[in-house]
Amino acid sequence: MKKNLFKAIALSLLIASCSDDDTVIDNGPDPVDPPQGQASVVLNEVQYLGDNVEIFNNGEIAVDLSDYWLCLGPNQYAQIGDLTTTGNVNLGVGEYLNISYEMPEAEGGLGLYSTNAFTNADAMVDFVQWGASGAARENVAVDANLWTAGEFVPVMGNENYSIVFDGEGNGASNWAETTTVTLGAENVLTVPMEMRRSIVLNEVQFGNRNLIEIYNNGDVAADLSSYWLCLGPGQYVQLGNATIESGDINLAAGEFLVVNYDELGDDQGGLGLYSNNQFTNAESIMDFVQWGASGSARENIAVEAGIWTSGDFVPVVNVTSSIEYDGEGDAASDWAEETKPSFGSANDVETPTTTFSITITNAAEVFNVHAFNMRNRTGETPTPGPLNMDNDSYQISFQAVPGTKFTPVTMMGNSNDWFLAPDDLAGIDLWENGAALNGVDIANKLVLYDLGTEADNDPSTFPPAGANVGPEDPNNLVRLVDRNGMRGSDYLTAILDYAAGDGQSAGTFTLTITAINTANFVVTPGIVVLHANNEPLFTIGQPDRGYGLEAIAEDGNPMPLYNYFTEVGTNGSPLRLASTRTVFSPGLVYAFNGESDPFVLQGQVNPTGNGLEELAEDGNNAIGYEYLGGKGFPVAKSNETMPVGPGQSLTFTIEVPQNQGYRFGFATMFVDTNDWFIAYNNAGYPLFDENGTPVSGFGASEKSYLYDSGTEIDQPTGFGADQAPRQTGPNAGAIDPNNLVRRVAGLNDVQFGKGQYNNPPGVVYVEDPRGGYNVIKIEINPQ
């Protein structure tokens, strides 16, 4: 209950007792139980110029009001039992009592008391003040927590009006003047025409957010919980039940209330703000705006109320724009498009923006790894082990595509932690001048390194003494070994042969490593890494990374490093191996604040003309840029106009309005496919936190995925004749029978021979613990 509670009267109970001989003593009739429940009564309606006061019982038991008092101030009081009343003075639950009581003319403060102790806050039951503050009993009401000092209900001074209580709460915002007097019945709020312009529709976004801003341009607070929004029959909501985006339903003077109303139409509509749910009553409509076309359901009501002109409407604006009221007048010309909505702030204040720099990196690094340990020796069956006799050999085959780099690593068995690897830390390119290395000995491209993990020149701890048995190296940095200029070709041959593929998969390289100087260099099992990044395994002048290279350099054991690269995440996809070597097309970044991404419509058929098909099939970002910009979304094209390969980045600069709930989206083509692209998920990545602070960092990488646009049938990744690098012209492929935009849940790796690559979520971030395609990083930074 909102009002002071009445204390129940404790009744004495008669006790029945029995004598020792069970003689029953008659103590008279059984006592009557007192009423159960809480008592509460409130001032409910005051006809301040009509000398009428209505009291309502909103409690749980009847209350006898005959001993209660009404008081306006010193010498202005009366006991209710002495006044003329309509209704039962012993007021039942949910009933009304109408009392004739002489009022002041235009301002006053009325207290309802349980006794005539008018200066005692404990005696005051309810209070209302109108016309002005400072009434005689205002301070008592403040002490009783029934009123806020200085508040009053604004009134027009019309004898045909009354002020009514909204049913809950205390204070002026819970009261309002109405033209519909309902003494003895439920209150109906019909705001007087003279006061209607104090609560106005101020801004409407009927495109992608469905937001309505209401402004209090009056002098006092107003409780809007009983107000209504109405578009037409069956399309209405009471503000007390609406979803509030910002502001307070008890709307203070000069403040804004923003609510969400999903019924708003994108193209046309007419919105009425009502003081009650009498939607066909011109006295109930407080404000109105109509857009897109005339003739909406409540236009005639607004015209009758004198707050709209028949046939008038505000032109349709972009889905990201709003329409804003200029603060005066009742015509469509008083509304205008705002390309940067200002919900929650004044319409004449320019919405601040934040400029973000965004970097989307093609982060594919390692594509595959192959361990070698099966020794071939003339006259013997291949067995695991080192090459410790001249002409012993290892042979390993692997698939790769142009642009791939190659890093073989093998231990010098007559050392503690020395190993052979390419002298070019970027690795050995498997193609030179467009031709695959075929019949080429790459041993002269290898040099000796010291890993810095074990002290040198201790033959007692060389293999096969045991794994990791030597003392620590006092110099723990990776470094070149000075062997008088000797190279890998002084110890072994490493011949690459190549067989071309069948046009649907990559060709195959065969590497044959043969020992030729085992007296000085025993060749141990090792590993081949196929990669795009520089320094895939170690960095000169830095300590070992701890990924497993130590086991090769010290003990000739490639498996720890092999297992590191082939580890899978929680969804069964690789954690580190990139699925594909491809370039990213010039891309788009954009910001949106609707319910979902406006460009990537996952689970739907992609609409013609939005530019996604052109980007996903041909890497053309121009149409999507024009489409999103034409809709009013902040959008930017990459500064780069050519595709970017592994290790390269697309960069963007985009300006985004603050405090409007904008989220990040992007798209770039996965070029060596028919119609695949990478994008953030449909919800978008928030560009501002809950405090409005711009975000920064790599957070947008995590929920980025590989998508199929559903526009062109898929061909083997990197080999399709209708894929952008090989097609005869744009849009050359056959139509996909599955035409829905969807995530790519798997691909067959025909570039590096990993086989079917299952990735149900379509994850692309290289550090995602779920594992995935491992091809992208996204960094966002506010400028």
Side-chain angles (χ1 to χ4, degrees), residues 228-307:
W228 293 76
L229 295 170
C230 179
L231 291 160
Q235 293 179 290
Y236 46 79
V237 63
Q238 194 169 30
L239 286 177
N241 297 322
T243 300
I244 296 177
E245 294 284 331
S246 65
D248 196 320
I249 198 74
N250 289 304
L251 192 60
E255 295 297 327
F256 304 88
L257 175 69
V258 181
V259 300
N260 177 272
Y261 188 38
D262 289 336
E263 298 294 329
L264 292 177
D266 290 349
D267 298 324
Q268 62 186 61
L271 177 67
L273 174 65
Y274 286 78
S275 62
N276 56 53
N277 60 354
Q278 297 179 10
F279 302 125
T280 60
N281 185 350
E283 293 186 357
S284 298
I285 194 167
M286 299 183 63
D287 203 4
F288 180 81
V289 63
Q290 179 171 252
W291 62 90
S294 61
S296 63
R298 302 308 181 203
E299 178 187 12
N300 62 321
I301 309 300
V303 172
E304 182 181 348
I307 59 173

Side-chain angles (χ1 to χ4, degrees), residues 144-284:
N145 293 319
L146 295 171
W147 203 257
T148 300
E151 284 192 355
F152 62 92
V153 183
V155 292
M156 302 308 302
N158 189 312
E159 63 181 5
N160 295 315
Y161 300 167
S162 67
I163 56 174
V164 291
F165 175 54
D166 67 5
E168 56 183 62
N170 297 303
S173 63
N174 301 105
W175 287 79
E177 187 162 28
T178 181
T179 62
T180 305
V181 177
T182 57
L183 296 167
E186 183 177 355
N187 292 340
V188 173
L189 176 61
T190 307
V191 177
M193 182 65 68
E194 307 96 303
M195 296 180 65
R196 288 183 186 177
R197 301 313 291 169
S198 63
I199 305 296
V200 297
L201 296 170
N202 198 55
E203 186 171 6
V204 178
Q205 189 172 38
F206 49 79
N208 66 339
R209 296 187 74 194
N210 296 319
L211 294 181
I212 300 164
E213 179 186 79
I214 299 170
Y215 176 56
N216 183 345
N217 66 3
D219 299 322
V220 296
D223 184 350
L224 303 187
S225 57
S226 62
Y227 285 41
W228 293 76
L229 295 170
C230 179
L231 291 160
Q235 293 179 290
Y236 46 79
V237 63
Q238 194 169 30
L239 286 177
N241 297 322
T243 300
I244 296 177
E245 294 284 331
S246 65
D248 196 320
I249 198 74
N250 289 304
L251 192 60
E255 295 297 327
F256 304 88
L257 175 69
V258 181
V259 300
N260 177 272
Y261 188 38
D262 289 336
E263 298 294 329
L264 292 177
D266 290 349
D267 298 324
Q268 62 186 61
L271 177 67
L273 174 65
Y274 286 78
S275 62
N276 56 53
N277 60 354
Q278 297 179 10
F279 302 125
T280 60
N281 185 350
E283 293 186 357
S284 298

Side-chain angles (χ1 to χ4, degrees), residues 402-471:
T404 305
K405 298 174 183 179
F406 159 70
T407 293
V409 176
T410 181
M411 178 192 183
M412 178 182 181
N414 301 334
S415 74
N416 289 89
D417 61 347
W418 292 358
F419 62 98
L420 275 179
D423 63 346
D424 186 346
L425 298 181
I428 301 168
D429 198 329
L430 287 169
W431 272 260
E432 289 184 355
N433 301 318
L437 299 182
N438 189 12
V440 176
D441 188 349
I442 54 91
N444 66 333
K445 298 179 181 290
L446 307 178
V447 294
L448 270 176
Y449 296 90
D450 186 328
L451 190 62
T453 57
E454 196 169 291
D456 298 328
N457 301 316
D458 183 6
S460 67
T461 58
F462 291 174
N468 196 28
V469 296

Side-chain angles (χ1 to χ4, degrees), residues 477-495:
L477 304 181
V478 180
R479 55 201 183 269
L480 281 168
V481 174
D482 184 10
R483 298 280 288 182
N484 299 317
M486 297 182 73
R487 304 182 72 82
S489 54
D490 294 306
Y491 308 111
L492 52 80
T493 62
I495 298 174

Side-chain angles (χ1 to χ4, degrees), residues 89-108:
V89 174
N90 187 21
L91 192 61
V93 175
E95 294 183 353
Y96 303 88
L97 179 68
N98 186 33
I99 306 166
S100 295
Y101 183 56
E102 186 176 347
M103 294 283 126
E105 292 186 356
E107 59 188 54

